[in-house]
Amino acid sequence: MVTIKSPREIELLKEAGNIVYKTHQYIKPFIKPGITTKEIDKLCEDFIIKQGATPSFKGCEGFPNAVCTSVNNVVIHGIPSNYKLKDGDIISIDIGACIKGYHGDSAWSYEVGNVNDDDKYLLKHTELALYEGIKEARAGNRIGDIGYAVENYANKYNLGIVREFVGHGVGRSVHEDPNVPNYGNKGQGLLLKKGMVIAIEPMLTFGDEEIDMDDDGFNVVTTDNSKAAHYEHTIAITDGDPIILTGEIKNGKE
Ligand code: MG
Ligand code: MG
């Protein structure tokens, strides 16, 4: 069921989203060669708890850690481990936090040390694909308008779209209706209304679109081993521009 959030609920979602945003800002300087993904997870978890919140993903469908750390060819749901980040890696960190019963959800991809131009291209254009989707997230448009914008942008820059995983509603549960695919047709799908809160999250690859699941049942990897990026914001639909609950508009897209 797709729910419409009251202004009071939007304020609580903003509070949760802000904790997620602050956690990303906090972890950013630690993302350097030599740190393990488990250490990143622990730092994020401690920070979230210090804010009076709880990590949304811990225990969510059996996920064992606080945040997802997806390195290189891992698209999403990477389980933190003893892997030490290396110069030239890219890492997507997906953070969820819950406070007063409401969640925020945002993923961001980061460069580790010096990354090559292809990876810079992948990160830049996946981030911009997210903002293309966000621009369409307004009352009167439809879910398909968001997916179309993301897909169209990814196609333009020759990036593969992971289709098996999609964005979602956010509220009292970190994953709720509706599904928000990163592909679609203009003018089709659910009508967007003021007060809906959704996570838009393009997962783009530098190779083809095929994915596999690792044996651990969580790590989603690209079949051709190409690198993948993941950018996500939780946003509230209004009659005008959407409110980004988990951060700030970047890259002059305001
Ligand atoms: Mg997420
Ligand atoms: Mg999400």
Side-chain angles (χ1 to χ4, degrees):
M1 193 182 64
V2 179
T3 57
I4 302 292
K5 274 75 179 180
S6 67
R8 184 188 152 271
E9 286 181 295
I10 303 271
E11 285 310 307
L12 292 167
L13 286 156
K14 211 180 259 176
E15 202 178 320
N18 192 249
I19 291 169
V20 173
Y21 173 70
K22 284 199 295 197
T23 310
H24 273 289
Q25 298 308 108
Y26 167 74
I27 201 64
K28 209 172 161 181
F30 290 99
I31 303 169
K32 287 187 177 136
I35 193 169
T36 68
T37 52
K38 238 185 199 166
E39 288 166 336
I40 290 174
D41 176 66
K42 175 84 173 95
L43 285 165
C44 288
E45 179 169 20
D46 289 349
F47 185 84
I48 290 167
I49 289 168
K50 227 187 255 170
Q51 313 300 308
T54 52
S56 301
F57 304 141
K58 199 160 196 178
C60 180
E61 290 166 46
F63 190 77
N65 293 81
V67 301
C68 306
T69 53
S70 306
V71 180
N72 295 333
N73 66 324
V74 182
V75 185
I76 49 166
H77 301 168
I79 296 185
S81 71
N82 292 322
Y83 176 79
K84 275 193 175 126
L85 293 182
K86 291 199 301 276
D87 188 60
D89 282 345
I90 59 171
I91 180 172
S92 305
I93 303 181
D94 197 347
I95 301 175
C98 178
I99 191 158
K100 298 172 191 165
Y102 288 85
H103 294 265
D105 185 7
S106 171
W108 217 253
S109 297
Y110 298 96
E111 301 176 4
V112 182
N114 304 295
V115 308
N116 67 36
D117 287 348
D118 284 354
D119 294 345
K120 281 185 193 291
Y121 177 98
L122 171 68
L123 265 49
K124 175 183 166 191
H125 291 298
T126 308
E127 181 182 355
L128 290 174
L130 166 63
Y131 287 112
E132 288 298 305
I134 289 174
K135 272 199 260 177
E136 296 299 321
R138 50 179 63 227
N141 275 5
R142 290 181 181 269
I143 285 282
D145 293 313
I146 298 173
Y148 175 83
V150 172
E151 182 177 19
N152 191 42
Y153 188 87
N155 287 342
K156 200 160 128 191
Y157 289 91
N158 253 316
L159 296 171
I161 300 164
V162 173
R163 291 165 196 268
E164 286 83 348
F165 294 89
V166 296
H168 49 88
V170 180
R172 285 192 159 274
S173 170
V174 69
H175 295 135
E176 50 182 55
D177 288 338
N179 280 345
V180 184
N182 296 306
Y183 52 88
N185 297 312
K186 267 187 181 171
Q188 287 188 13
L190 179 79
L191 181 67
L192 300 174
K193 292 183 184 154
K194 183 179 171 180
M196 286 180 182
V197 172
I198 56 172
I200 302 176
E201 48 179 314
M203 298 149 227
L204 304 184
T205 75
F206 205 67
D208 71 27
E209 304 185 344
E210 296 293 306
I211 52 157
D212 285 316
M213 193 77 94
D214 262 2
D215 293 340
D216 62 24
F218 284 102
N219 285 6
V220 173
V221 298
T222 56
T223 304
D224 64 2
N225 246 354
S226 63
K227 289 190 179 171
H230 181 205
Y231 286 82
E232 172 185 33
H233 270 314
T234 302
I235 59 117
I237 309 275
T238 74
D239 289 325
D241 291 334
I243 305 164
I244 299 183
L245 302 173
T246 45
E248 299 168 337
I249 294 267
K250 288 186 185 162
N251 285 344
K253 299 301 280 184
E254 176 62 67

